[in-house]
Amino acid sequence: RTSDAPDAATSAVRSALSSVDPGLPMYATQTLERVVDGSVEARRFNMSLLSMLAGIGVLLAGVGIYGVVAFFVVQRRAEIGLRIALGASAGSVLWMVLRHGGRLALVGVGIGTLLAVLASRVLATLLFEISPTDPLTYGVGGVGLLALALVACAVPALMAARVSPLRTLSGQ
């Protein structure tokens, strides 16, 4: 241990060893931090790659949910326009679209959680100090994905709430 930079202590250790035995070879010196970094380098790379791919997957899930809900809104545009013409509030239309998207997201998170629990044995070798079936991890992940789904549903829901009944009923 040293209070100075670890690399600076290397020359002091080298001179102390050579004063004891000048023929003693000293090569490949490195700090303990570098040894530890080297020993976990492969796992760190694997986890970074897995995290990056998971982030891309979450982004694609959000875009996919947006696409499905936007398609739902376009397909039901005439119905939404009729509802608004008959007196439905923008809030009720917004709630209808969010409820539809939320239902799809709940089913998706449920199926995904079940598949993740089944596949957790494969990931057990990559996890440190956490159980492969940790309920907190699954809970936070599920809630995060549901929040992402609601944000992805919000844009089409706002579009649906702004549908003009006059334009819709006239066929434009």
Side-chain angles (χ1 to χ4, degrees):
R1 290 178 187 254
T2 178
S3 59
D4 297 333
D7 292 329
T10 303
S11 61
V13 170
R14 226 178 258 269
S15 64
L17 280 177
S18 67
S19 69
V20 173
D21 185 1
L24 188 64
M26 187 173 157
Y27 56 91
T29 58
Q30 53 186 334
T31 64
L32 182 60
E33 183 179 333
R34 286 189 188 146
V35 170
V36 171
D37 284 347
S39 71
V40 296
E41 184 177 5
R43 285 182 186 247
R44 184 175 292 146
F45 173 76
N46 288 342
M47 293 311 296
S48 297
L49 186 62
L50 189 62
S51 297
M52 184 179 67
L53 291 173
I56 291 170
V58 167
L59 179 69
L60 286 174
V63 170
I65 291 169
Y66 167 79
V68 167
V69 175
F71 182 73
F72 164 77
V73 168
V74 169
Q75 289 293 101
R76 295 181 64 179
R77 187 177 207 98
E79 175 196 339
I80 292 170
L82 185 60
R83 284 177 185 252
I84 293 173
L86 292 175
S89 67
S92 68
V93 171
L94 188 76
W95 175 245
M96 177 187 72
V97 175
L98 286 176
R99 190 174 57 233
H100 175 75
R103 212 176 303 129
L104 291 175
L106 275 173
V107 169
V109 167
I111 292 171
T113 301
L114 179 66
L115 291 174
V117 168
L118 294 175
S120 65
R121 302 282 181 231
V122 175
L123 295 176
T125 59
L126 299 174
L127 300 175
F128 295 105
E129 297 183 12
I130 188 169
S131 164
T133 55
D134 181 43
L136 179 65
T137 303
Y138 285 105
V140 169
V143 168
L145 288 172
L146 287 175
L148 171 75
L150 289 179
V151 169
C153 292
V155 175
L158 289 171
M159 288 184 339
R162 293 184 185 140
V163 166
S164 168
L166 184 60
R167 284 182 142 182
T168 304
L169 296 175
S170 67
Q172 294 179 346

